[in-house]
Amino acid sequence: MSGRFRAGEAVWVELCTPDPARAEDFYRALLGWSVRHEQLGSTTYRMCSVGGRDVAGISDATGLHGGRPRGWITYFAVDDIDRSAQLAVTLGGELVTPPRYLPAAGTGAAVIDPFGAAFGLYQGESRAGVEVLNAVGALCWNELDTGEPAASVDYYRTLFGYTTQQRDDSPTARPYTVLMLGDVPVAGVLELDNEWPNLIPSKWITYFTVADLDDALARVTDLGGLPTVGPVDSPHGRLHLVKDPGGHTLCLIQLEGGLRHDPSDDPSDRAVRR
């Protein structure tokens, strides 16, 4: 177990971009983040927080993850990162950042799945992962958009031991699969409208909560970003896909209730936070 998270849960999100300073300015203004700079080898890692609790990171693409701007990366908790990294490759993935130990956090690695989606593995130690979920400015959901839904689900189910649940309430009217750990939803898989296999690379989408979607969309435009798909009325609130000024896609949602259970809300789990 990675701190208060179970193996297989999405525990961290990180923006890998060639212009981290510009990204910092954008997300500070859009989501109200406070940002502190931490040294990571020869690069600077930007740790982002809301109300004093860590919610995301911003990394410099020139120094991490194969030197390419991977965009928003979802990290999943693992118990043995070396074994999980080996399995991710055996199943057809590509290891772009081998396991690396970070004294103030734990050990992380980055993988490209067989259909082009970048994701991370994380074995937490001093830092378990995000310190709050669902709050305004914080992570609330992770979704894989893919033209190969069946094969992608098989890949992640084998890697992390998920069960699955089909949902028929997707606002896009496209098939939607929820990846589960027991009865706990972990992430979603949305089938892209894709006539040819792998025509559109798969991508993990990070959802952030906003207080007012219309206000947030106006700020996206003012700050140099671009609203793309939406707004969409979902069972959990209105949402909209946007691109930040670096062209990296994320989803903003005016959340009604929680999409994920936040263990930090449980008194028994609060002591586990660093």
Side-chain angles (χ1 to χ4, degrees):
M1 177 177 288
S2 180
R4 62 189 174 90
F5 295 101
R6 292 187 293 173
E9 285 192 88
V11 294
W12 190 247
V13 287
E14 173 192 302
L15 178 64
C16 178
T17 175
D19 195 346
R22 186 183 186 192
E24 175 183 336
D25 290 342
F26 176 81
Y27 287 99
R28 276 182 184 271
L30 177 64
L31 297 176
W33 288 350
S34 298
V35 181
R36 66 184 187 274
H37 293 187
E38 299 182 355
Q39 197 64 29
L40 179 59
S42 60
T43 68
T44 298
Y45 194 87
R46 288 163 165 82
M47 189 64 66
C48 309
S49 63
V50 171
R53 296 196 282 183
D54 294 340
V55 294
I58 300 173
S59 66
D60 188 340
T62 61
L64 286 176
H65 308 317
R68 295 183 57 186
R70 305 290 180 182
W72 279 103
I73 300 174
T74 298
Y75 282 78
F76 296 90
V78 294
D79 291 329
D80 185 328
I81 195 165
D82 292 319
R83 184 175 60 193
S84 294
Q86 182 178 9
L87 179 58
V89 172
T90 299
L91 293 171
E94 176 190 357
L95 186 64
V96 294
T97 304
R100 178 177 182 176
Y101 175 68
L102 307 173
T107 304
V111 178
I112 306 296
D113 77 13
F115 309 104
F119 69 99
L121 306 171
Y122 182 64
Q123 186 175 339
E125 292 185 10
S126 57
R127 179 178 290 142
V130 297
E131 296 181 331
V132 63
L133 290 163
N134 301 320
V136 171
L139 171 70
C140 63
W141 190 241
N142 303 86
E143 178 184 281
L144 179 65
D145 291 359
T146 177
E148 298 283 357
S152 293
V153 167
D154 285 346
Y155 178 83
Y156 289 98
R157 186 165 48 195
T158 304
L159 182 58
F160 295 121
Y162 297 137
T163 58
T164 59
Q165 182 181 96
Q166 298 301 125
R167 293 279 174 88
D168 58 8
D169 57 0
S170 170
T172 64
R174 282 182 258 160
Y176 200 89
T177 303
V178 178
L179 304 176
M180 312 278 293
L181 288 172
D183 59 354
V184 177
V186 171
V189 179
L190 176 66
E191 180 176 343
L192 293 177
D193 187 9
N194 185 5
E195 292 184 3
W196 298 99
N198 301 318
L199 182 64
I200 304 172
S202 299
K203 182 182 292 292
W204 278 99
I205 304 295
T206 300
Y207 281 55
F208 290 107
T209 304
V210 295
D212 185 290
L213 183 63
D214 293 329
D215 287 349
L217 294 174
R219 270 181 281 141
V220 167
T221 301
D222 291 344
L223 294 166
L226 178 68
T228 55
V229 180
V232 175
D233 292 320
S234 81
H236 300 284
R238 293 175 66 237
L239 59 88
H240 206 298
L241 287 175
V242 304
K243 289 184 182 292
D244 69 17
H248 309 301
T249 298
L250 63 148
C251 188
L252 303 178
I253 181 169
Q254 186 175 325
L255 192 62
E256 299 174 2
L259 271 168
R260 285 184 59 190
H261 170 66
D262 187 351
S264 68
D265 290 335
D266 296 338
S268 62
D269 289 330
R270 288 175 186 158
V272 181
R273 296 212 323 263
R274 70 176 181 88

